Amino acid sequence: MARVIGHVDLDYFYAQVEEIENPSIRDRPVLVCVFSGRTEDSGVVSTANYRAREFGVSSGVPIVVAKRRLQGKDPVLIRMELAKYESVSDRVMELIRSQVDVLEQAGIDEAFFDLTKSARGDYGSASEIAKRIKESVLNDEHLTCSIGIGRSKAVAKLGSDTAKPGGLIVVLPDLTESFLGKMDVIRLYGVGPKTTDTLRSLGIRTVAELARADTATLEVAFGKKLAAYLHAAASGTDSDSVKENQAPSQFSRIITLKDDTTDPEEVMAQLAGAENDLRNKLVSRNTSFRTLSAIAIMTDLSTKTRSKTFETPVKDLSSVRNSTLELFAQLSDSADRGFRRVGIRVSDLTGNQDQKSLSEFLQPS
Ligand code: DCP
Ligand code: CA
Ligand code: CA
């Protein structure tokens, strides 16, 4: 059966999350910034929406430069809040994971997936599944994304890149060479500026030229392994499979409180959304936990945790809410200052890891 590989990437991710939270900023240039704190404007742009990109403002641009380029354009600058984007990312990944054979997360806003079985090797069916994935991400999270489908990871990634923003590109196996051909080598997955420079020095600029390049020459320049990958990627025959990510050993969610407080009831109320995210994550991964921890980051940025380990694995986080509340009450009793950020962590995970415990293994039922 023909391999059917997909790649999904969310559009202007951090900035899009901010737009969803505050739709009134949609038509203005939106910059998510990492402020380094030395002066008011020191730091860089983490990402920008497409409105801002029209004026040459994108990831990595210093905030001062961005402000100058957007003078008179009414830009919105927002402080980057990673935990928020991670939580959205987790939900999106779970949503997509449920619609594909295998999912391999490759970054906070992107993943490879395999559709070979569910599409039965058929690219028309794969296209339908990809459309449904896009719709579900839009319906459930209000986010737009771009998807590429092709016969290898490198082709799928180039597809989503080319489809951006908001598109879907299906590269039929027979059309792979013509799709890849004229592209600049720097656009290939895994090819950075350094590799590009070396390729240029060898007179190789396009993917087609790389596909035709002499193997021995590439091996001298890059070594056997990278040379083989480059050659395969350029001809769309890279054979690396989509691998489910390693099962993590813990999950956590941390939020910033609206006001510094140590009131456990108030903390629990503000944590409700995060707690629900964590609960759903465990459910969708069919994972239970034995250890529950409450985390508090104080106003002086020191961190304190209190943990409780249950006799038997817990499936539903909401069923132990009293314990979570109790742990925050303990943290509150010992606190000599307010909490700024709070979180819940679950660890000692079991289930869905496809790994039996040693005792189960030794005593087959
Ligand atoms: N990011 C960052 N610094 C960078 C590049 C990216 O902090 N130099 C963060 C912010 C992005 C996120 O990672 O929102 C995802 O990166 P992408 O490269 O996928 O870029 P975007 O999603 O922002 O935009 P695009 O629509 O081009 O995918
Ligand atoms: Ca992206
Ligand atoms: Ca990305």
Side-chain angles (χ1 to χ4, degrees):
M1 220 187 309
R3 280 213 305 165
V4 187
I5 310 291
H7 182 264
V8 56
D9 188 287
L10 297 162
D11 299 328
Y12 64 103
F13 181 46
Y14 297 178
Q16 206 185 165
V17 170
E18 296 296 343
E19 283 183 2
I20 292 159
E21 200 173 290
N22 184 5
S24 70
I25 62 177
R26 268 237 137 97
D27 299 325
R28 298 164 61 189
V30 175
L31 317 184
V32 174
C33 302
V34 182
F35 293 98
S36 60
R38 269 187 306 111
T39 65
E40 196 192 328
D41 283 347
S42 58
V44 294
V45 174
S46 160
T47 197
N49 66 356
Y50 291 111
R51 181 88 187 102
R53 290 185 201 185
E54 287 170 27
F55 302 99
V57 173
S58 58
S59 301
V61 172
I63 293 167
V64 255
V65 176
K67 275 193 160 175
R68 201 181 311 132
R69 290 186 185 158
L70 292 168
Q71 207 148 42
K73 309 286 182 237
D74 197 20
V76 190
L77 278 72
I78 299 167
R79 183 178 296 276
M80 179 178 95
E81 211 185 309
L82 198 57
K84 179 158 73 183
Y85 317 129
E86 279 172 350
S87 148
V88 176
S89 164
D90 281 350
R91 292 201 306 264
V92 170
M93 294 299 161
E94 293 311 323
L95 179 62
I96 301 174
R97 184 173 269 118
S98 68
Q99 300 174 70
V100 301
D101 304 348
V102 188
L103 182 123
E104 177 180 341
Q105 193 173 342
I108 190 166
D109 78 331
E110 62 188 278
F112 290 100
F113 53 85
D114 195 313
L115 289 180
T116 310
K117 281 204 201 99
S118 39
R120 293 196 200 81
D122 176 64
Y123 276 68
S125 313
S127 172
E128 292 309 313
I129 297 172
K131 278 182 205 152
R132 277 205 297 278
I133 291 173
K134 279 163 61 67
E135 277 164 22
S136 69
V137 174
L138 190 61
N139 282 336
D140 290 16
E141 299 294 338
H142 310 287
L143 285 165
T144 65
C145 62
S146 307
I147 295 184
I149 304 277
R151 69 182 180 196
S152 77
K153 281 181 164 177
V155 175
K157 168 88 180 172
L158 265 176
S160 71
D161 242 30
T162 310
K164 199 157 271 299
L168 164 65
I169 284 190
V170 179
V171 183
L172 298 175
D174 288 348
L175 300 179
T176 305
E177 279 79 18
S178 65
F179 172 71
L180 292 175
K182 289 186 233 33
M183 283 183 192
D184 193 306
V185 284
I186 198 159
R187 295 193 54 200
L188 273 184
Y189 184 54
V191 175
K194 235 178 109 190
T195 307
T196 305
D197 280 349
T198 314
L199 286 168
R200 294 243 156 103
S201 72
L202 298 172
I204 300 167
R205 287 176 175 274
T206 67
V207 174
E209 285 164 354
L210 178 56
R212 280 197 304 268
D214 175 49
T215 312
T217 313
L218 291 179
E219 282 180 3
V220 171
F222 300 106
K224 258 200 154 82
K225 215 171 144 194
L226 182 55
Y229 169 75
L230 288 173
H231 199 263
S235 41
T237 55
D238 48 305
S239 56
D240 189 22
S241 61
V242 178
K243 294 170 210 71
E244 194 69 48
N245 304 84
Q246 285 289 313
S249 60
Q250 58 171 56
F251 294 119
S252 61
R253 274 284 158 263
I254 295 181
I255 62 153
T256 302
L257 290 165
K258 293 194 185 86
D259 307 291
D260 300 341
T261 176
T262 56
D263 175 15
E265 298 280 358
E266 176 57 24
V267 165
M268 287 301 282
Q270 291 196 38
L271 266 173
E275 185 196 19
N276 197 43
D277 273 359
L278 204 53
R279 174 185 178 275
N280 292 341
K281 181 164 191 157
L282 290 164
V283 170
S284 72
R285 291 186 177 236
N286 193 21
T287 299
S288 306
F289 63 92
R290 280 186 61 220
T291 301
L292 171 71
S293 307
I295 305 166
I297 297 152
M298 309 294 160
T299 48
D300 68 348
L301 301 184
S302 61
T303 301
K304 291 205 164 84
T305 59
R306 288 288 180 279
S307 303
K308 171 173 181 166
T309 297
F310 299 93
E311 299 263 309
T312 52
V314 180
K315 261 208 156 95
D316 185 350
L317 179 60
S318 59
S319 71
V320 294
R321 189 167 290 139
N322 281 339
S323 300
T324 315
L325 180 65
E326 174 58 27
L327 291 170
F328 277 111
Q330 290 173 18
L331 281 171
S332 158
D333 285 344
S334 68
D336 49 8
R337 59 191 89 222
F339 301 160
R340 173 151 305 162
R341 311 184 69 212
V342 290
I344 303 175
R345 178 171 66 219
V346 295
S347 51
D348 283 335
L349 305 179
T350 51
N352 203 28
Q353 269 95 337
D354 283 326
Q355 221 166 35
K356 290 188 173 176
S357 70
L358 193 59
S359 58
E360 281 174 298
F361 187 69
L362 293 172
Q363 301 161 2
S365 50

